Every structure is written in C-alpha cells, then in structure tokens.
Amino acid sequence: TGGCSSSIEPVNRVLAFNFDKISQAGDDIYSCATFDLAPMPSARFMHQSAIVLADTGFQLMVFGGKESRRNWTNSVISLDLKPYFK
C-alpha cells in the first residue's frame, strides 16, 4: 500500500485513492479521487502496511512505526475494509 502525509507527526487518518480511465472521443482521460476511510485505532507514521484477505474479508494491516517523534512501536493494528470492498 502507499500513502501520503502532510506532516511529520503521526496521524490516524486513512486516505483511499480511486483511479479511473475514461475514454471520450478517442481520448483517454484519467481521474483520481480521494476519500477518507475510518480512522485507525492509533496514529502512526514511518510504518509498513499491507492489505490482506482474511477469513472475515479484507483488512488493512499496519506494522510497527512511530507513534510520536521519539517512540517506536512494534505492535500491529488493523482496519476492517469490508465496508469499502464490495
């Protein structure tokens, strides 16, 4: 997964990106929409993440990272993506 951040402080905001290709009169136009998902249980940055298919559906898993400028964590948190995957 990829992401973006507007600061060097940890945030629990999760942004999703949707890319579409629209063909009009022989031209290909690409659009990108962003929207907020539910916030993560705790704020992180400088972390690793993956989208996995679990028995209960898709999950966003976040591994380790920093919870503040000085505190690293080795915990794992997840966000249920079932509402966003049809």
Coordinates of all heavy atoms in Angstrom, one line a residue:
T1 N 0.8 -1.2 0.0 CA 0.0 0.0 0.0 C 0.9 1.2 0.0 O 2.0 1.2 0.4 CB -0.9 0.0 1.2 OG1 -0.1 0.1 2.4 CG2 -1.8 -1.2 1.3
G2 N 0.4 2.3 -0.4 CA 1.1 3.5 -0.4 C 0.3 4.6 0.4 O -0.8 4.4 0.8
G3 N 0.9 5.7 0.5 CA 0.2 6.7 1.3 C 0.9 8.1 1.1 O 1.8 8.2 0.4
C4 N 0.3 9.0 1.8 CA 0.8 10.4 1.8 C 0.6 11.0 3.1 O -0.2 10.5 3.9 CB 0.2 11.2 0.7 SG -1.6 11.4 0.9
S5 N 1.4 12.0 3.4 CA 1.3 12.6 4.7 C 1.6 14.1 4.6 O 2.4 14.5 3.8 CB 2.3 12.0 5.7 OG 2.2 12.7 7.0
S6 N 0.9 14.9 5.3 CA 1.1 16.3 5.2 C 2.0 16.8 6.4 O 2.2 18.0 6.5 CB -0.2 17.1 5.2 OG -0.9 16.8 6.4
S7 N 2.5 15.9 7.2 CA 3.3 16.4 8.3 C 4.2 15.3 8.8 O 4.1 14.2 8.2 CB 2.4 16.8 9.5 OG 1.8 15.6 10.1
I8 N 5.1 15.6 9.7 CA 5.9 14.5 10.3 C 5.4 14.0 11.6 O 6.1 13.3 12.3 CB 7.4 15.0 10.4 CG1 7.5 16.2 11.3 CG2 8.0 15.3 9.0 CD1 8.9 16.6 11.6
E9 N 4.2 14.4 11.9 CA 3.6 13.9 13.2 C 2.7 12.7 12.8 O 2.2 12.6 11.7 CB 2.7 15.0 13.8 CG 3.5 16.2 14.2 CD 4.4 15.9 15.4 OE1 4.0 15.0 16.3 OE2 5.5 16.4 15.4
P10 N 2.6 11.8 13.7 CA 1.7 10.6 13.4 C 0.2 11.0 13.3 O -0.2 11.9 14.0 CB 1.9 9.7 14.6 CG 2.4 10.6 15.7 CD 3.2 11.7 15.0
V11 N -0.5 10.4 12.4 CA -1.9 10.7 12.2 C -2.6 9.3 12.1 O -2.1 8.3 11.7 CB -2.2 11.5 10.9 CG1 -1.6 12.9 11.1 CG2 -1.6 10.8 9.7
N12 N -3.9 9.3 12.4 CA -4.7 8.1 12.3 C -5.6 8.2 11.1 O -6.5 7.4 11.0 CB -5.4 7.8 13.6 CG -6.5 8.8 14.0 OD1 -6.5 9.9 13.4 ND2 -7.3 8.5 14.9
R13 N -5.5 9.2 10.3 CA -6.3 9.4 9.1 C -5.9 8.4 8.0 O -4.7 8.2 7.8 CB -6.1 10.8 8.6 CG -7.0 11.2 7.5 CD -6.8 12.6 7.1 NE -7.7 13.0 6.0 CZ -7.5 14.1 5.3 NH1 -6.5 14.9 5.5 NH2 -8.3 14.3 4.3
V14 N -6.9 7.8 7.4 CA -6.6 6.8 6.3 C -7.2 7.4 5.0 O -8.4 7.6 5.0 CB -7.1 5.4 6.6 CG1 -6.9 4.5 5.4 CG2 -6.5 4.9 7.9
L15 N -6.4 7.6 4.0 CA -6.9 8.1 2.7 C -6.9 7.0 1.7 O -6.0 6.2 1.6 CB -6.1 9.3 2.2 CG -6.2 10.6 2.9 CD1 -5.1 11.5 2.3 CD2 -7.5 11.2 2.8
A16 N -8.0 6.9 0.9 CA -8.1 5.9 -0.2 C -8.0 6.7 -1.5 O -8.5 7.8 -1.6 CB -9.3 5.1 -0.1
F17 N -7.4 6.1 -2.5 CA -7.3 6.7 -3.8 C -8.0 5.8 -4.8 O -7.9 4.6 -4.8 CB -5.9 6.8 -4.2 CG -5.1 7.7 -3.3 CD1 -4.4 7.2 -2.2 CD2 -5.0 9.1 -3.6 CE1 -3.7 8.0 -1.4 CE2 -4.2 9.9 -2.8 CZ -3.6 9.4 -1.7
N18 N -8.8 6.4 -5.7 CA -9.5 5.7 -6.8 C -9.1 6.3 -8.1 O -9.3 7.5 -8.3 CB -11.0 5.8 -6.5 CG -11.8 5.0 -7.6 OD1 -11.4 3.9 -8.0 ND2 -12.9 5.5 -8.0
F19 N -8.5 5.4 -9.0 CA -8.1 5.9 -10.3 C -9.0 5.3 -11.3 O -9.3 4.1 -11.3 CB -6.7 5.5 -10.6 CG -5.7 6.1 -9.6 CD1 -5.3 5.4 -8.5 CD2 -5.1 7.3 -9.9 CE1 -4.3 6.0 -7.6 CE2 -4.2 7.9 -9.1 CZ -3.8 7.2 -7.9
D20 N -9.5 6.1 -12.2 CA -10.4 5.7 -13.3 C -9.9 6.2 -14.7 O -9.3 7.3 -14.8 CB -11.8 6.3 -13.1 CG -12.6 5.6 -12.0 OD1 -12.5 4.4 -12.0 OD2 -13.2 6.3 -11.3
K21 N -10.1 5.4 -15.7 CA -9.7 5.7 -17.0 C -11.1 5.9 -17.8 O -11.9 5.0 -17.8 CB -8.9 4.6 -17.7 CG -8.6 4.9 -19.1 CD -7.8 3.7 -19.7 CE -7.5 3.9 -21.2 NZ -6.8 2.8 -21.8
I22 N -11.2 7.1 -18.3 CA -12.4 7.5 -19.0 C -12.1 7.7 -20.5 O -11.2 8.6 -20.8 CB -13.1 8.7 -18.4 CG1 -13.3 8.5 -16.9 CG2 -14.4 9.0 -19.1 CD1 -13.6 9.7 -16.2
S23 N -12.7 7.0 -21.4 CA -12.5 7.3 -22.8 C -13.6 8.2 -23.4 O -14.7 7.8 -23.3 CB -12.4 6.0 -23.6 OG -11.3 5.2 -23.2
Q24 N -13.1 9.3 -24.0 CA -14.1 10.2 -24.7 C -13.6 10.6 -26.0 O -12.5 11.1 -26.1 CB -14.3 11.4 -23.8 CG -15.0 11.2 -22.5 CD -15.2 12.5 -21.7 OE1 -14.4 13.4 -21.9 NE2 -16.2 12.5 -20.9
A25 N -14.3 10.3 -27.0 CA -14.0 10.7 -28.4 C -12.6 10.3 -28.8 O -11.8 11.0 -29.4 CB -14.2 12.3 -28.6
G26 N -12.2 9.1 -28.4 CA -10.9 8.5 -28.7 C -9.8 9.0 -27.8 O -8.7 8.5 -28.0
D27 N -10.0 9.8 -26.9 CA -9.0 10.3 -26.0 C -9.2 9.6 -24.6 O -10.3 9.3 -24.2 CB -9.1 11.8 -25.7 CG -8.7 12.6 -26.9 OD1 -7.9 12.1 -27.7 OD2 -9.3 13.7 -27.1
D28 N -8.1 9.2 -24.0 CA -8.1 8.6 -22.7 C -7.9 9.7 -21.6 O -6.9 10.4 -21.7 CB -7.0 7.5 -22.5 CG -7.4 6.3 -23.4 OD1 -8.5 6.1 -23.7 OD2 -6.4 5.6 -23.8
I29 N -8.8 9.8 -20.7 CA -8.7 10.8 -19.6 C -8.6 10.0 -18.3 O -9.3 9.0 -18.1 CB -9.9 11.7 -19.6 CG1 -10.0 12.5 -20.9 CG2 -9.8 12.7 -18.4 CD1 -11.3 13.2 -21.1
Y30 N -7.7 10.3 -17.4 CA -7.5 9.7 -16.2 C -8.0 10.6 -15.0 O -7.6 11.8 -15.0 CB -6.1 9.2 -16.0 CG -5.6 8.3 -17.0 CD1 -5.1 8.7 -18.2 CD2 -5.8 6.9 -16.8 CE1 -4.7 7.8 -19.2 CE2 -5.4 6.0 -17.7 CZ -4.8 6.4 -18.9 OH -4.4 5.5 -19.9
S31 N -8.7 10.0 -14.1 CA -9.2 10.8 -13.0 C -8.7 10.1 -11.7 O -8.6 8.9 -11.6 CB -10.7 11.0 -13.0 OG -11.3 9.7 -12.7
C32 N -8.5 10.9 -10.7 CA -8.1 10.4 -9.4 C -9.0 11.0 -8.3 O -9.0 12.3 -8.2 CB -6.6 10.7 -9.1 SG -6.1 10.2 -7.4
A33 N -9.6 10.2 -7.5 CA -10.5 10.7 -6.4 C -9.9 10.2 -5.1 O -9.4 9.1 -5.0 CB -11.9 10.2 -6.6
T34 N -10.0 11.0 -4.1 CA -9.5 10.6 -2.8 C -10.7 10.7 -1.8 O -11.6 11.6 -2.0 CB -8.4 11.5 -2.3 OG1 -8.8 12.9 -2.2 CG2 -7.2 11.4 -3.2
F35 N -10.7 9.8 -0.8 CA -11.7 9.9 0.2 C -11.2 9.3 1.5 O -10.3 8.5 1.5 CB -13.0 9.2 -0.3 CG -12.9 7.8 -0.7 CD1 -13.1 6.8 0.1 CD2 -12.5 7.6 -2.1 CE1 -12.9 5.5 -0.3 CE2 -12.4 6.3 -2.5 CZ -12.6 5.2 -1.6
D36 N -11.8 9.8 2.6 CA -11.3 9.3 3.9 C -12.0 8.0 4.3 O -13.2 7.8 4.1 CB -11.7 10.3 5.0 CG -10.7 11.5 5.0 OD1 -9.6 11.3 5.4 OD2 -11.1 12.6 4.6
L37 N -11.3 7.1 4.8 CA -11.8 5.9 5.4 C -11.9 6.1 6.9 O -11.6 7.2 7.4 CB -10.9 4.7 5.1 CG -10.6 4.3 3.7 CD1 -9.7 3.1 3.6 CD2 -11.8 4.1 2.9
A38 N -12.4 5.1 7.6 CA -12.5 5.3 9.1 C -11.1 5.4 9.6 O -10.1 4.9 9.1 CB -13.1 4.0 9.7
P39 N -10.9 6.2 10.7 CA -9.6 6.4 11.3 C -9.0 5.1 11.9 O -9.8 4.2 12.3 CB -9.8 7.5 12.3 CG -11.2 7.4 12.7 CD -11.9 6.9 11.4
M40 N -7.7 5.0 11.9 CA -7.1 3.8 12.5 C -7.2 4.0 14.0 O -7.4 5.0 14.5 CB -5.6 3.8 12.1 CG -5.3 3.5 10.7 SD -5.9 1.9 10.1 CE -4.8 0.8 10.9
P41 N -7.1 2.8 14.7 CA -7.2 2.9 16.2 C -6.1 3.7 16.9 O -6.4 4.3 17.9 CB -7.0 1.4 16.6 CG -7.3 0.6 15.4 CD -6.9 1.5 14.2
S42 N -4.9 3.9 16.3 CA -3.9 4.8 16.8 C -3.1 5.4 15.7 O -3.0 4.8 14.6 CB -3.0 4.0 17.8 OG -2.2 3.0 17.1
A43 N -2.5 6.5 15.9 CA -1.8 7.2 14.9 C -0.4 6.6 14.7 O 0.2 6.1 15.6 CB -1.6 8.7 15.3
R44 N 0.0 6.6 13.4 CA 1.3 6.0 13.1 C 2.0 6.8 11.9 O 1.3 7.4 11.1 CB 1.2 4.6 12.6 CG 0.6 3.6 13.5 CD 1.7 3.2 14.6 NE 1.1 2.4 15.6 CZ 1.1 1.1 15.6 NH1 1.6 0.4 14.5 NH2 0.5 0.4 16.6
F45 N 3.3 6.7 11.8 CA 4.0 7.1 10.6 C 5.3 6.3 10.6 O 5.6 5.7 11.5 CB 4.2 8.6 10.5 CG 5.2 9.3 11.4 CD1 6.4 9.8 11.0 CD2 4.9 9.4 12.8 CE1 7.3 10.4 11.8 CE2 5.8 10.0 13.6 CZ 7.0 10.5 13.2
M46 N 5.9 6.3 9.4 CA 7.1 5.5 9.2 C 6.9 4.0 9.5 O 7.6 3.4 10.2 CB 8.3 6.0 10.0 CG 8.7 7.4 9.5 SD 10.1 8.1 10.5 CE 11.4 7.0 9.9
H47 N 5.8 3.5 9.0 CA 5.3 2.2 9.2 C 5.3 1.3 7.9 O 5.5 1.9 6.9 CB 3.9 2.2 9.8 CG 2.9 2.9 8.9 ND1 2.8 4.3 8.9 CD2 2.1 2.4 7.9 CE1 1.9 4.6 8.0 NE2 1.5 3.5 7.4
Q48 N 5.0 0.1 8.0 CA 4.8 -0.8 6.9 C 3.3 -1.2 6.9 O 2.7 -1.3 8.0 CB 5.6 -2.1 7.0 CG 7.1 -1.8 7.0 CD 7.6 -1.2 5.7 OE1 7.2 -1.7 4.6 NE2 8.4 -0.2 5.7
S49 N 2.8 -1.4 5.8 CA 1.3 -1.8 5.7 C 1.1 -2.7 4.5 O 1.9 -2.8 3.6 CB 0.5 -0.5 5.6 OG 0.8 0.2 4.4
A50 N 0.0 -3.4 4.6 CA -0.5 -4.3 3.6 C -2.0 -4.5 3.7 O -2.6 -4.4 4.7 CB 0.2 -5.7 3.8
I51 N -2.6 -4.8 2.5 CA -4.0 -5.2 2.5 C -4.0 -6.7 2.3 O -3.4 -7.2 1.4 CB -4.7 -4.5 1.4 CG1 -4.7 -2.9 1.6 CG2 -6.1 -5.0 1.2 CD1 -5.3 -2.1 0.5
V52 N -4.6 -7.3 3.3 CA -4.7 -8.8 3.3 C -6.1 -9.3 3.2 O -7.0 -8.6 3.7 CB -3.9 -9.4 4.5 CG1 -2.5 -9.0 4.5 CG2 -4.6 -9.0 5.8
L53 N -6.3 -10.5 2.7 CA -7.6 -11.1 2.6 C -7.7 -12.1 3.8 O -7.0 -13.1 3.7 CB -7.9 -11.7 1.3 CG -9.3 -12.5 1.1 CD1 -10.4 -11.5 1.4 CD2 -9.4 -13.0 -0.2
A54 N -8.4 -11.8 4.8 CA -8.5 -12.7 6.0 C -9.9 -13.4 5.8 O -10.6 -13.2 4.9 CB -8.5 -11.8 7.3
D55 N -10.1 -14.3 6.8 CA -11.4 -15.1 6.8 C -12.6 -14.2 6.8 O -13.6 -14.5 6.3 CB -11.4 -16.1 7.9 CG -10.4 -17.2 7.8 OD1 -9.9 -17.4 6.7 OD2 -10.0 -17.8 8.8
T56 N -12.4 -13.0 7.5 CA -13.5 -12.1 7.6 C -13.6 -11.1 6.5 O -14.5 -10.2 6.6 CB -13.4 -11.4 9.0 OG1 -12.1 -10.7 9.0 CG2 -13.5 -12.4 10.1
G57 N -12.7 -11.1 5.6 CA -12.7 -10.1 4.5 C -11.4 -9.4 4.4 O -10.4 -9.7 5.1
F58 N -11.3 -8.3 3.7 CA -10.1 -7.5 3.5 C -9.8 -6.7 4.8 O -10.7 -6.1 5.4 CB -10.2 -6.6 2.3 CG -10.2 -7.3 1.0 CD1 -11.3 -7.5 0.3 CD2 -8.9 -7.7 0.5 CE1 -11.2 -8.2 -0.9 CE2 -8.9 -8.3 -0.7 CZ -10.0 -8.6 -1.5
Q59 N -8.5 -6.7 5.1 CA -8.1 -5.9 6.3 C -6.9 -5.1 5.9 O -6.0 -5.5 5.1 CB -7.6 -6.9 7.4 CG -8.7 -7.7 8.0 CD -9.6 -7.0 8.9 OE1 -9.1 -6.2 9.7 NE2 -10.9 -7.3 8.8
L60 N -6.8 -3.8 6.3 CA -5.6 -3.0 6.2 C -4.8 -3.3 7.5 O -5.2 -3.0 8.6 CB -5.9 -1.5 6.1 CG -4.7 -0.6 6.2 CD1 -3.8 -0.8 5.0 CD2 -5.2 0.9 6.2
M61 N -3.6 -3.8 7.3 CA -2.7 -4.2 8.5 C -1.6 -3.1 8.5 O -1.0 -2.9 7.4 CB -2.1 -5.6 8.3 CG -3.2 -6.7 8.1 SD -4.3 -6.9 9.5 CE -3.1 -7.5 10.7
V62 N -1.3 -2.6 9.6 CA -0.2 -1.6 9.8 C 0.7 -2.2 10.9 O 0.3 -2.5 12.0 CB -0.8 -0.2 10.3 CG1 0.4 0.7 10.5 CG2 -1.7 0.3 9.2
F63 N 2.0 -2.3 10.4 CA 3.0 -2.9 11.3 C 4.1 -1.9 11.7 O 4.6 -1.2 10.9 CB 3.8 -4.0 10.4 CG 2.9 -4.9 9.7 CD1 2.5 -4.7 8.4 CD2 2.4 -6.0 10.4 CE1 1.6 -5.6 7.8 CE2 1.5 -6.9 9.8 CZ 1.1 -6.7 8.4
G64 N 4.3 -1.9 13.1 CA 5.3 -1.0 13.6 C 5.1 0.5 13.3 O 4.0 0.9 13.2
G65 N 6.2 1.2 13.3 CA 6.2 2.6 13.0 C 6.4 3.4 14.3 O 6.7 2.9 15.3
K66 N 6.2 4.7 14.1 CA 6.4 5.7 15.2 C 5.1 6.2 15.6 O 4.2 6.5 14.8 CB 7.3 6.8 14.8 CG 8.8 6.4 14.5 CD 9.6 7.5 14.2 CE 10.3 8.0 15.5 NZ 11.3 9.0 15.3
E67 N 4.8 6.2 16.9 CA 3.6 6.8 17.5 C 3.8 8.2 17.9 O 2.8 8.9 18.1 CB 3.1 6.0 18.7 CG 2.7 4.6 18.3 CD 2.3 3.7 19.5 OE1 3.1 3.8 20.5 OE2 1.3 3.0 19.4
S68 N 5.0 8.7 17.9 CA 5.4 10.1 18.2 C 6.8 10.3 17.6 O 7.4 9.3 17.1 CB 5.4 10.4 19.7 OG 6.4 9.7 20.3
R69 N 7.3 11.5 17.7 CA 8.6 11.7 17.1 C 9.7 10.8 17.7 O 10.7 10.5 17.1 CB 9.0 13.2 17.3 CG 8.3 14.1 16.4 CD 8.8 15.5 16.5 NE 8.0 16.4 15.6 CZ 8.5 17.4 15.1 NH1 9.7 17.8 15.3 NH2 7.8 18.2 14.3
R70 N 9.6 10.4 19.0 CA 10.6 9.6 19.6 C 10.3 8.2 20.0 O 11.1 7.4 20.3 CB 11.0 10.4 20.9 CG 11.6 11.7 20.6 CD 12.1 12.4 21.9 NE 12.7 13.6 21.5 CZ 13.0 14.6 22.3 NH1 12.7 14.5 23.5 NH2 13.5 15.7 21.8
N71 N 9.0 7.8 19.9 CA 8.6 6.5 20.3 C 8.3 5.6 19.1 O 7.3 5.8 18.4 CB 7.4 6.6 21.2 CG 7.6 7.4 22.5 OD1 8.8 7.4 23.0 ND2 6.6 8.0 23.0
W72 N 9.1 4.5 19.0 CA 8.8 3.5 18.0 C 7.9 2.4 18.7 O 7.9 2.2 19.9 CB 10.1 2.8 17.6 CG 10.9 3.6 16.7 CD1 11.9 4.5 17.1 CD2 10.9 3.7 15.3 NE1 12.4 5.1 16.0 CE2 11.8 4.6 14.8 CE3 10.1 3.0 14.3 CZ2 12.0 4.9 13.5 CZ3 10.3 3.3 13.0 CH2 11.2 4.3 12.6
T73 N 7.1 1.7 17.9 CA 6.3 0.6 18.4 C 6.5 -0.6 17.5 O 6.8 -0.4 16.3 CB 4.8 1.0 18.4 OG1 4.1 -0.1 18.9 CG2 4.3 1.4 17.1
N74 N 6.3 -1.8 18.0 CA 6.4 -3.0 17.2 C 5.0 -3.7 17.2 O 4.9 -4.8 16.8 CB 7.5 -3.9 17.7 CG 7.2 -4.4 19.1 OD1 6.2 -4.0 19.8 ND2 8.1 -5.2 19.6
S75 N 4.0 -2.9 17.5 CA 2.6 -3.5 17.5 C 2.0 -3.5 16.1 O 2.5 -2.9 15.2 CB 1.7 -2.8 18.5 OG 1.5 -1.4 18.0
V76 N 1.0 -4.3 16.0 CA 0.2 -4.4 14.7 C -1.2 -3.9 15.0 O -1.8 -4.4 15.9 CB 0.2 -5.9 14.2 CG1 -0.6 -6.0 12.9 CG2 1.6 -6.3 14.0
I77 N -1.7 -3.1 14.1 CA -3.1 -2.7 14.2 C -3.8 -2.9 12.8 O -3.1 -3.1 11.8 CB -3.3 -1.2 14.6 CG1 -2.5 -0.2 13.6 CG2 -2.8 -1.0 16.0 CD1 -2.7 1.2 14.0
S78 N -5.1 -3.1 12.8 CA -5.8 -3.3 11.6 C -7.1 -2.5 11.5 O -7.6 -2.1 12.5 CB -6.1 -4.8 11.5 OG -7.1 -5.2 12.4
L79 N -7.5 -2.4 10.2 CA -8.7 -1.7 9.9 C -9.5 -2.6 9.0 O -9.0 -3.0 8.0 CB -8.4 -0.3 9.2 CG -9.6 0.5 8.7 CD1 -10.5 1.0 9.9 CD2 -9.2 1.7 7.9
D80 N -10.8 -2.8 9.4 CA -11.7 -3.7 8.6 C -12.1 -2.9 7.3 O -12.7 -1.8 7.4 CB -12.9 -4.0 9.4 CG -13.8 -5.0 8.6 OD1 -13.4 -5.5 7.6 OD2 -15.0 -5.2 9.1
L81 N -11.7 -3.4 6.1 CA -12.1 -2.8 4.9 C -13.3 -3.3 4.2 O -13.7 -2.9 3.1 CB -10.9 -2.9 3.9 CG -9.6 -2.2 4.3 CD1 -8.5 -2.5 3.3 CD2 -9.8 -0.7 4.5
K82 N -14.0 -4.2 4.9 CA -15.3 -4.8 4.4 C -16.2 -3.7 3.9 O -16.8 -3.9 2.8 CB -15.9 -5.7 5.4 CG -17.0 -6.6 4.9 CD -17.6 -7.5 5.9 CE -16.7 -8.0 6.9 NZ -17.2 -8.8 7.9
P83 N -16.4 -2.6 4.6 CA -17.4 -1.6 4.1 C -17.0 -1.0 2.8 O -17.8 -0.4 2.1 CB -17.5 -0.6 5.2 CG -17.0 -1.2 6.4 CD -16.0 -2.3 5.9
Y84 N -15.7 -1.1 2.4 CA -15.2 -0.4 1.2 C -14.9 -1.3 0.0 O -14.8 -0.8 -1.1 CB -13.9 0.3 1.6 CG -14.0 1.2 2.8 CD1 -13.5 0.7 4.1 CD2 -14.7 2.4 2.8 CE1 -13.7 1.5 5.2 CE2 -14.9 3.1 3.9 CZ -14.4 2.7 5.1 OH -14.5 3.4 6.3
F85 N -14.9 -2.6 0.3 CA -14.7 -3.6 -0.8 C -16.1 -4.3 -1.0 O -16.6 -4.9 -0.1 CB -13.7 -4.6 -0.5 CG -12.3 -4.1 -0.6 CD1 -11.7 -3.4 0.4 CD2 -11.6 -4.4 -1.8 CE1 -10.4 -2.9 0.2 CE2 -10.3 -3.9 -2.0 CZ -9.7 -3.1 -1.0
K86 N -16.6 -4.3 -2.2 CA -17.9 -4.9 -2.5 C -17.6 -6.3 -3.1 O -16.7 -6.5 -3.8 CB -18.7 -4.1 -3.4 CG -18.9 -2.7 -2.9 CD -19.9 -2.7 -1.7 CE -20.1 -1.2 -1.3 NZ -20.4 -1.0 0.0

